[in-house]
Structures are given as structure tokens and as C-alpha cells.
Amino acid sequence: MSIQHAPVLTCTQLSWRHQGATILEGVDLQVRAGESLALVGPNGSGKSTLIKLLCGVLAASAGEVRLFGQPLSDYLRRDIAQRIAVVEQHSETLDAISVRDAVELGRTPWLSALAPWSAEDDRQVEQALQAVDLTHLSKRRWHSLSGGERQRAQIGRAMAQQPQILLLDEPTNHLDIQHQLSILGLVQRLPVTTVIALHDLNQALTCDRVAVLDKGRLIALGAPEEVLVPELLLQTFGVHAHYLVDPEDGTRLLRFRPAG
Ligand SMILES: Nc1ncnc2c1ncn2[C@@H]1O[C@H](COP(=O)(O)OP(=O)(O)O)[C@@H](O)[C@H]1O
Ligand SMILES: [Mg+2]
């Protein structure tokens, strides 16, 4: 984690309404420079909606998001893309293109008539392909990839974007266990601020802080083990939980049992 603690992203009373329904309500949240913040909550609690609001894909119905102190709505899309990369839960299909083409898209916000594609862009793309273990598949067509390979390509695209902030919506969802661990380790080691929606609460324990959403409201925010306590897990997720200690290295892990 960085020694800086200036908020890079701030939500103030952030709400999103859609067709008369309140999907997100009054979220106050400061994302700190360099931290990894896990976003957890049951299905439909608003994690994906919050991520879309944080990067301007959705506009707030009330309240605001600030990026480095400026309202997000004041930024041009390209200026946001130079600072924030997003890997969405359901990524668009890019049927006709190769893995390398998909990762090259990450360079788009940095290109212009005055800054055409250069050797530095090639270097960034190759580094990103290597980081997500896709160098050997770089010529493969998108439609021929497995769900996990697509997920890794999207993460590679986001890394090639060289953002200061990386927003990831359930990035480990389609991945085998080896790639889950390598992707999580990778994004936590990157010198960037990360907000990661996660279902696996044991993976959330490895982040710097955890934010819990329930029915569109932020109900807890803080150090993982202070937030993910048995009472909250029962109330919010409807499961009994307790901590176990790994005899190998003393790491504390959550174990769950069905309630009732
Ligand atoms: N575009 C939309 N239209 C209607 N309802 C939506 C839309 N986007 C999200 N929702 C609803 O908002 C709630 C929160 O959704 P979402 O943010 O996807 O939750 P999560 O990612 O935590 O599962 C859900 O009840 C979902 O059905
Ligand atoms: Mg979601």
C-alpha cells in the first residue's frame, strides 16, 4: 500500500434510481490512494452499479463522485480513461478481433494525431499480455477463448491502459484456481488503487479494506476482519460463519455454514 492517503475517488451521498426503483442510496465512500478495496454484498446489492458510477458509465441520480477532487461529470471520457480502467462483469463481445487486438484497445486513451502508436505502446501491450499469462494465445481469435481466457484478456486490456485506478467487477469469476490466485496477487501488487467486487469473502480478507453493500446501501467499511464479523455475515449474507486458523502459517480464514 502507498504511503499517500489522499482520496482518489470520493462518493458523497451517491444514489442511483432506475424506473422508480432506488438501486443505490446515499453511499459515502473515500477510496484511498494505493489501497485495494474489496466490494462485497449479496447478489443484487448494488456492487456493479457502484462500479459503473465510479467510472462514469452511469450518471448519479443524486450525490456525486469526485476523481482527484474534481466532479467526475466535469471530465472528458478520454481523461477518465487515462486515469481509470474498468473490467466489467459482463464484458462486451469483440468477436472479430485477436487477443492482442483486445489488449491493444487499452492504449486508446493515450493515442492521438500527435501521439501515434509507438514502440512504447507495443512494450505496454506485451507486458500486459505476459502479466495475465496470455502471450502464447496473443494471436487467438476472441470467439475461440474460454470464459477465463476472455476475463484475463480484459484484465490485460485494463493493465495496458496504465491507469492509476483499476475497477474490477468479480474478476475471478470464470477463472480456475491457479489464475484466480495469480490475478488477485497481480492486481494487489500493481502500484495502483484497486476497487474489486468479490464474492469470495476469503479473497476479500486479503484486501486492505472491505466495503459491504446491502440492498443498495453501504452498511460497513473498514479493515477486513473488523468488518467481516459473524453478526454481519449472518445479517447480510444469511450464513453462519467463524474464523479458522491455518496451522501452516497462522492465516485466519472464514468457514461458512447454512443458517437455520
Ligand atoms: N439497468 C438496470 N435496470 C433495472 N434494474 C437494474 C439495472 N441495473 C441494476 N439493476 C438492479 O439493481 C440491483 C443491483 O444490481 P447490481 O448493481 O448489478 O448488483 P450486484 O452487482 O451487487 O449483484 C439489482 O436488483 C438489479 O436487478
Ligand atoms: Mg454485479
Side-chain angles (χ1 to χ4, degrees):
M1 201 171 97
S2 155
I3 49 165
Q4 296 175 58
H5 291 287
V8 294
L9 271 173
T10 309
C11 307
T12 312
Q13 283 299 299
L14 185 65
S15 301
W16 193 67
R17 300 189 188 96
H18 185 72
Q19 296 181 340
T22 298
I23 308 294
L24 211 67
E25 175 84 17
V27 172
D28 286 316
L29 173 66
Q30 290 197 344
V31 182
R32 299 171 182 164
E35 77 170 334
S36 61
L37 175 67
L39 212 53
V40 306
N43 291 328
S45 56
K47 302 180 294 296
S48 297
T49 303
L50 178 56
I51 283 183
K52 287 178 188 154
L53 287 161
L54 288 177
C55 61
V57 168
L58 291 176
S61 306
E64 68 169 6
V65 177
R66 282 178 177 257
L67 171 61
F68 298 117
Q70 296 289 327
L72 194 61
S73 52
D74 288 358
Y75 284 82
L76 299 174
R77 182 146 293 281
R78 174 185 166 88
D79 293 331
I80 295 175
Q82 288 181 351
R83 292 163 178 80
I84 307 180
V86 199
V87 176
E88 292 207 51
Q89 189 171 10
H90 304 289
S91 303
E92 73 284 21
T93 42
L94 304 155
D95 273 346
I97 71 173
S98 71
V99 170
R100 186 180 171 108
D101 294 336
V103 174
E104 284 184 0
L105 287 175
R107 299 304 301 156
T108 310
W110 300 102
L111 301 174
S112 70
L114 293 176
W117 189 273
S118 71
E120 171 62 13
D121 297 295
D122 277 323
R123 204 183 63 78
Q124 292 292 347
V125 168
E126 272 141 35
Q127 204 176 316
L129 281 166
Q130 206 166 16
V132 295
D133 189 23
L134 284 178
T135 306
H136 61 297
L137 294 180
S138 63
K139 293 201 175 72
R140 279 274 293 278
R141 298 281 124 184
W142 188 264
H143 66 82
S144 75
L145 299 178
S146 73
E149 290 160 348
R150 286 182 191 193
Q151 191 92 327
R152 276 150 56 206
Q154 291 290 358
I155 293 165
R157 191 258 311 142
M159 289 177 63
Q161 207 171 320
Q162 287 271 287
Q164 287 156 279
I165 303 161
L166 187 54
L167 307 179
L168 300 154
D169 198 348
E170 298 184 26
T172 53
N173 240 10
H174 295 110
L175 303 186
D176 60 56
I177 187 66
Q178 185 202 351
H179 286 109
Q180 284 191 27
L181 297 182
S182 76
I183 291 291
L184 265 187
L186 175 69
V187 301
Q188 287 173 348
R189 281 193 309 274
L190 287 174
V192 300
T193 305
T194 49
V195 179
I196 322 177
L198 287 171
H199 270 306
D200 186 326
L201 300 179
N202 279 305
Q203 291 180 351
L205 284 176
T206 70
C207 293
D208 292 319
R209 290 196 302 162
V210 175
V212 184
L213 286 173
D214 191 15
K215 302 181 190 75
R217 289 178 175 276
L218 181 70
I219 58 157
L221 172 66
E225 285 199 28
E226 285 166 23
V227 166
L228 299 178
V229 293
E231 305 79 68
L232 177 137
L233 294 167
L234 181 59
Q235 237 168 46
T236 306
F237 292 91
V239 294
H240 290 302
H242 62 269
Y243 282 89
L244 302 177
V245 177
D246 184 337
E248 286 283 320
D249 63 0
T251 302
R252 283 157 59 82
L253 296 169
L254 279 163
R255 179 167 187 251
F256 304 99
R257 284 169 293 121

